[in-house]
């Protein structure tokens, strides 16, 4: 949200002092607050403005588009009846979503005379430059080179906020960037279309235009077409089919060379998984190598796909290699390819290795801990020098590949034992993501089960609704040594024997039930004597209520205090569970 300090800074920047007013808007541009100064400048009482939409009071025209897209602008004319007001706008964002904004009403403008500032409404209406405010990175400066409008897409390229850019001279607004060419464009009054430029260390593709009014240049607009120049090459390669690469690769299956999943494919809302997915999205946009650690079956390959899909390499190939599945004598030719005649039976014309197939994209090296030492030395050269030499060739080739490696082994222990090169280990673990075992995030089991049931319903042509309470009890208590992969296999196994709308305990593999244990703390093991002892001692409703309390206590203990999970286990709503707990606490207090 916009802080008070930001509002004060905005007022100070425009030099309007105490004469300016503040209007707070919600996401629909409804007026949720305004001060007396703003009401006075608008010319209407505060009480008549509160709750109304701004576009009901003022003629926003194209300014509405800017405000709803979260664009920051300065010193723009707003027409309210016969009054023309100079205004600034600063959007309020929460979790990258627009939730409103602050409109600073600065001063009255002359009714007839034109204001010297850039008329953004006229610029947008003219269509002289096609501006997509929701995608294109856009910045507009006045004739002096001061930024008067900037949107979130442009600020994202600089890893900053529009508020940090607005009001600054264009030569000072871009940290770690090439000097802006907008001043030269305004000076020559000549647009520059499709130029490359460096912003925040990224090579972008942009177009720059002078803004002309009554024959005079009054400003300039910059439009970022591609946030990373490599996207153009990658898209072109994809559209052209990379015919030479495909012909040489030959055996590469399409399904293995493209990413099929993204971060939304990762099921799990536990705190651990939410934090992990946030970390994934942060590091994916960079180009550093990533090491995925986790037990077998936790979904390391799914994370590798998601990293590729969220990166600026997503238009290129995603190539996966299981280092443990390829015979040692074939691994070098698989990774680095071979030249024609390199060995008996070699393909005519040779063959590209996995690294060349992944050029400009991502290579996923699964089970990296099983790579033999001699191959580790060759791998290190590829990572350090970005070049490789195919088997049977003397001509090195340059490759641009991001490496995502994964292992369920303890690489540090392998390094100490001399089974894994320390230098390669540090090259691979620039960024490390540790994927938790399923037993460490049991609150995700329900969502995962539902997801698998939906998948198998479609595959088997069934309409299974879910797990019975007894089956769910087994699934929630089991430790899942095989992790998510084992859970998926268990659900698939149940689909082969299920006959009704629910998966029952009897449909689950026997070993799950054997592992269940008692899990019923607070409930007598032999239920028969317990019930017989109460028959006649209390009315039936009282016995049922007592037993219900025991079940609620057992469910909460079984779920380690997680009340949402306990309610789900009991098949009741969380509100009903809280109601039962409140009654229990009240009864316990009465007993004392």
């Amino acid at each position: 949200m916009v802080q008070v300090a930001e509002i004060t800074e905005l007022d100070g920047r425009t030099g309007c002092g105490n004469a300016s007013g503040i209007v707070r808007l919600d996401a629909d541009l409804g007026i949720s607050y305004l001060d007396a100064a703003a009401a006075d400048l608008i010319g209407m009482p505060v009480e008549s403005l509160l709750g109304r939409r701004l576009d009901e009071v003022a003629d926003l025209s194209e300014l509405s588009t800017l405000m709803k897209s979260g664009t920051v602008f300065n010193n723009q004319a707003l027409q309210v009846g016969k009054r023309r007001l100079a205004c600034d706008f600063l959007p309020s964002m929460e979790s990258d979503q627009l939730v409103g904004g602050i409109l600073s009403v600065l001063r009255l403008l002359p009714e007839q005379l034109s204001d010297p500032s850039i008329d953004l409404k006229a610029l947008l209406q003219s269509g002289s430059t096609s501006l997509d405010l929701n995608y294109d990175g856009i910045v507009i400066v006045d004739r002096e080179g001061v930024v008067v409008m900037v949107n979130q897409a442009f600020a994202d390229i600089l890893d900053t906020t529009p508020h940090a850019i607005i009001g600054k001279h264009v030569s000072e607004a871009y940290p770690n960037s090439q000097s802006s060419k907008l001043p030269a464009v305004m000076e020559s009054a000549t647009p520059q279309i499709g130029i490359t430029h460096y912003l925040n260390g990224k090579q972008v593709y942009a177009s720059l235009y002078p803004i002309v009014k009554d024959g005079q240049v009054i400003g300039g607009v910059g439009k970022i077409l591609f946030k990373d120049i490599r996207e153009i090459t990658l898209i072109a390669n994809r559209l052209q089919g990379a015919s030479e690469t495909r012909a040489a690769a030959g055996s590469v299956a399409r399904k293995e060379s493209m990413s099929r999943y993204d971060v939304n494919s990762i099921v799990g809302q536990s705190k651990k998984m939410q934090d992990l997915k946030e970390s994934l999205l942060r590091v994916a946009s960079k180009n550093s190598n990533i090491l995925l650690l986790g037990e077998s079956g936790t979904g390391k390959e799914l994370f590798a796909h998601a990293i590729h899909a969220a990166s600026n390499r997503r238009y290129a190939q995603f190539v996966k290699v299981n280092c443990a599945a390829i015979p040692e004598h074939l691994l070098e030719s698989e990774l680095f390819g071979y030249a024609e005649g390199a060995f008996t039976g070699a393909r005519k014309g040779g063959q590209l290795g996995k690294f060349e197939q992944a050029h400009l994209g991502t290579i996923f090296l699964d089970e990296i801990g099983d790579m033999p030492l001699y191959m580790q030395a060759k791998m290190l050269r590829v990572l350090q020098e970005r070049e490789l030499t195919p088997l049977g060739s003397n001509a090195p080739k340059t490759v641009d590949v991001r490496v995502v490696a994964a292992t369920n082994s303890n690489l540090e222990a392998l390094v100490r034992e001399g089974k894994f090169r320390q230098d390669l280990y540090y090259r691979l673990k620039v960024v490390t993501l540790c994927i938790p075992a399923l037993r460490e995030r049991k609150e995700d089991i329900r969502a995962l089960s539902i997801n698998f049931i939906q998948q198998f319903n479609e595959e088997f042509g069934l309409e299974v609704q879910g797990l019975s309470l007894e089956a769910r009890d087994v699934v929630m208590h089991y430790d899942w040594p095989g992790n998510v992969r084992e859970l998926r296999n268990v659900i698939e196994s149940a689909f082969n024997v299920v006959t009704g709308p629910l998966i029952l305990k009897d449909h689950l593999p026997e070993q799950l039930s054997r592992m269940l244990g008692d899990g019923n703390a607070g409930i007598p093991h032999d239920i028969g004597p317990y019930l017989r002892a109460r028959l006649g001692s209390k009315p039936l409703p009282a016995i049922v209520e007592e037993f219900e309390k025991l079940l609620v206590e057992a469910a909460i203990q079984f779920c380690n205090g997680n009340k949402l999970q306990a309610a789900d286990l009991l098949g009741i709503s969380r509100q009903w569970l809280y109601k039962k707990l409140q009654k229990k606490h009240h009864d316990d207090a009465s007993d004392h």
Side-chain angles (χ1 to χ4, degrees):
M1 291 288 290
V2 176
Q3 304 298 319
V4 174
E6 291 179 339
I7 299 171
T8 304
E9 182 182 337
L10 189 66
D11 292 340
R13 187 187 64 242
T14 54
C16 49
N18 296 328
S20 64
I22 295 295
V23 180
R24 189 183 296 276
L25 304 170
D26 60 26
D28 295 321
L29 302 186
I31 300 173
S32 58
Y33 166 83
L34 76 162
D35 58 17
D40 184 56
L41 284 167
I42 292 172
M44 298 174 68
V46 171
E47 56 273 15
S48 69
L49 292 169
L50 283 174
R52 298 180 65 183
R53 287 171 53 97
L54 184 62
D55 54 9
E56 296 175 1
V57 177
D59 178 15
L60 295 180
S61 187
E62 268 63 27
L63 288 184
S64 172
T65 303
L66 296 177
M67 298 167 84
K68 288 183 177 179
S69 66
T71 300
V72 178
F73 60 75
N74 267 10
N75 202 30
Q76 291 304 299
L78 189 69
Q79 191 76 33
V80 183
K82 293 185 177 180
R83 296 189 176 199
R84 293 178 70 244
L85 307 171
C87 300
D88 290 353
F89 179 70
L90 185 64
S92 302
M93 310 293 290
E94 286 184 358
S95 302
D96 295 329
Q97 296 294 318
L98 182 71
V99 296
I102 299 296
L103 185 75
S104 294
V105 186
L106 308 178
R107 62 187 182 280
L108 283 170
L109 294 172
E111 291 185 29
Q112 302 298 328
L113 298 177
S114 61
D115 190 73
S117 66
I118 294 174
D119 187 350
L120 295 178
K121 291 192 293 184
L123 174 66
L124 294 172
Q125 288 172 339
S126 70
S128 58
T129 60
S130 176
L131 303 179
D132 183 346
L133 294 168
N134 293 313
Y135 179 78
D136 297 332
I138 297 167
V139 62
I140 298 178
V141 300
D142 63 19
R143 187 63 182 88
E144 283 69 45
V146 175
V147 178
V148 296
M149 193 213 86
V150 60
N151 68 348
Q152 186 63 48
F154 188 88
D156 285 343
I157 299 171
L158 297 169
D159 296 326
T160 185
T161 63
H163 176 254
I165 301 171
I166 196 78
K168 292 184 178 179
H169 192 275
V170 71
S171 63
E172 302 171 350
Y174 310 158
N176 190 28
S177 302
Q178 184 179 354
S179 298
S180 174
K181 298 179 180 179
L182 275 173
V185 166
M186 291 188 291
E187 192 65 34
S188 65
T190 304
Q192 295 187 23
I193 311 296
I195 64 169
T196 57
H197 195 73
Y198 285 91
L199 288 178
N200 195 27
K202 305 180 183 88
Q203 191 177 17
V204 302
Y205 189 70
S207 290
L208 310 176
Y209 307 87
I211 302 174
V212 181
K213 184 177 182 180
D214 299 329
Q216 299 293 319
V217 175
I218 61 168
V221 54
K223 172 182 173 182
I224 307 300
L225 304 176
F226 288 93
K227 299 176 184 179
D228 193 318
I229 196 69
R230 286 178 301 179
E231 292 188 16
I232 301 172
T233 304
L234 296 175
I235 293 172
N237 286 346
R238 188 172 179 182
L239 291 174
Q240 293 168 1
S243 56
E244 300 90 352
T245 299
R246 286 210 314 269
S251 63
V252 184
R254 177 174 177 80
K255 67 178 183 178
E256 292 184 351
S257 62
M258 299 305 297
S259 177
R260 291 175 287 163
Y261 310 102
D262 59 21
V263 71
N264 297 313
S265 305
I266 301 173
V267 178
Q269 293 303 315
S270 62
K271 180 67 165 56
K272 285 187 176 181
M273 292 304 289
Q274 287 180 332
D275 291 345
L276 188 57
K277 285 191 276 189
E278 288 177 7
S279 298
L280 183 154
L281 291 174
R282 282 198 302 271
V283 302
S285 60
K286 313 300 189 296
N287 282 308
S288 300
N289 295 332
I290 297 177
L291 180 62
L292 301 176
L293 300 178
E295 296 178 6
S296 179
T298 50
K300 295 185 288 295
E301 182 178 337
L302 177 60
F303 274 81
H305 277 274
I307 290 167
H308 177 75
S311 73
N312 54 21
R313 296 175 177 265
R314 59 189 173 275
Y315 299 107
Q317 303 273 24
F318 174 86
V319 177
K320 61 180 181 180
V321 180
N322 188 323
C323 299
I326 301 174
E328 185 173 325
H329 66 282
L330 295 179
L331 187 57
E332 181 175 0
S333 61
E334 280 290 312
L335 290 176
F336 305 139
Y338 57 80
E340 182 175 350
F343 50 84
T344 302
R347 182 192 300 268
K348 185 178 180 180
Q351 180 168 300
L352 290 184
K354 300 295 187 182
F355 269 89
E356 282 189 87
Q357 293 167 21
H359 181 57
L360 298 179
T362 303
I363 188 167
F364 173 51
L365 301 176
D366 199 8
E367 305 297 351
I368 189 70
D370 293 333
M371 179 175 285
L373 277 170
Y374 85 94
M375 277 302 301
Q376 293 177 28
K378 295 177 180 290
M379 178 71 62
L380 185 64
R381 175 173 174 79
V382 175
L383 298 184
Q384 288 177 333
E385 308 297 334
R386 292 184 176 272
E387 69 176 29
L388 56 84
T389 302
L391 196 65
S393 171
N394 293 321
K397 296 182 178 181
T398 301
V399 290
D400 179 4
V401 176
R402 183 191 206 168
V403 175
V404 177
T407 183
N408 56 17
S409 304
N410 185 335
L411 288 187
E412 290 186 358
L414 293 178
V415 169
R416 289 194 297 270
E417 295 167 8
K419 297 178 180 178
F420 201 88
R421 292 181 63 107
Q422 185 178 50
D423 44 10
L424 177 59
Y425 172 60
Y426 287 118
R427 280 283 181 180
L428 292 172
K429 65 162 293 183
V430 177
V431 176
T432 303
L433 296 180
C434 298
I435 305 173
L438 187 55
R439 64 181 173 275
E440 298 172 3
R441 55 178 186 109
K442 283 194 171 183
E443 56 267 48
D444 289 332
I445 290 177
R446 181 174 179 271
L448 285 163
S449 299
I450 291 173
N451 181 63
F452 292 141
I453 287 171
Q454 290 172 345
Q455 289 181 27
F456 290 124
N457 271 334
E458 185 174 341
E459 182 177 333
F460 284 76
L462 299 178
E463 295 183 356
V464 175
Q465 298 172 11
L467 298 164
S468 69
L469 289 178
E470 194 175 27
R472 196 183 306 170
D473 185 38
V474 173
V475 167
M476 292 299 298
H477 190 269
Y478 186 60
D479 269 348
W480 300 106
N483 293 293
V484 179
R485 183 187 294 125
E486 185 181 8
L487 174 60
R488 187 183 191 279
N489 291 342
V490 164
I491 300 296
E492 182 177 6
S493 173
F495 260 77
N496 282 274
V497 295
V498 68
T499 56
L502 294 177
I503 294 174
L504 306 179
K505 178 182 177 182
D506 292 341
H507 298 146
L508 301 176
E510 187 179 347
Q511 73 268 19
L512 266 71
S513 300
R514 287 202 305 265
M515 295 287 291
L516 179 60
D518 84 63
N520 292 324
I523 298 178
H525 296 289
D526 191 346
I527 198 69
Y530 169 80
L531 293 177
R532 284 193 293 272
R534 273 144 184 80
L535 288 176
S537 65
K538 295 180 181 180
L540 178 61
I543 296 174
V544 171
E545 186 175 346
E546 177 184 339
F547 194 66
E548 189 178 71
K549 290 179 186 177
L550 291 173
L551 285 172
V552 169
E553 290 175 359
I556 293 175
Q557 183 174 349
F558 177 75
C559 298
N560 297 318
N562 187 317
K563 295 182 177 61
L564 177 60
Q565 188 175 319
D568 187 60
L569 186 63
L570 292 168
I572 62 177
S573 68
R574 182 167 52 176
Q575 290 77 12
W576 192 10
L577 178 68
Y578 283 132
K579 185 177 180 181
K580 295 292 182 185
L581 289 174
Q582 289 172 356
K583 186 176 188 306
K584 176 181 180 301
H585 293 324
H586 180 268
D587 293 344
D588 291 345
S590 299
D591 291 341
H592 292 294

